Amino acid sequence: ISFPTLLAGLITTAGIALNTLAKYNKRKNDNNVIVAILLIVAIATGLVIFFNMQFVSIIQEVIKQV
């Protein structure tokens, strides 16, 4: 399974889960807290992966120069 396929499946499942949460959980404050936590975790994960990949590419360039 390729990485884009994996991401497409995870994003679709997350969307369906949030839709189900909004439909069955009537406490809107709880829904907002859950969505905010998911958003913060997603942004943090994206930043960690982005900067980790930049760090890896910098190390690879330094190794190539040596």
Side-chain angles (χ1 to χ4, degrees):
I1 191 169
S2 66
F3 187 67
T5 306
L6 175 72
L7 279 181
L10 289 173
I11 291 168
T12 303
T13 305
I16 292 170
L18 288 175
N19 190 18
T20 304
L21 175 70
K23 183 177 180 181
Y24 290 110
N25 190 5
K26 299 303 179 192
R27 295 185 293 197
K28 300 297 181 191
N29 192 31
D30 289 349
N31 293 350
N32 292 338
V33 169
I34 292 170
V35 170
I37 290 171
L38 288 173
L39 181 63
I40 291 169
V41 168
I43 290 171
T45 303
L47 288 173
V48 165
I49 291 171
F50 176 74
F51 287 117
N52 188 27
M53 293 306 292
Q54 283 187 339
F55 182 69
V56 168
S57 66
I58 290 171
I59 291 175
Q60 288 175 344
E61 289 177 17
V62 170
I63 290 174
K64 285 180 185 178
Q65 292 177 356
V66 173

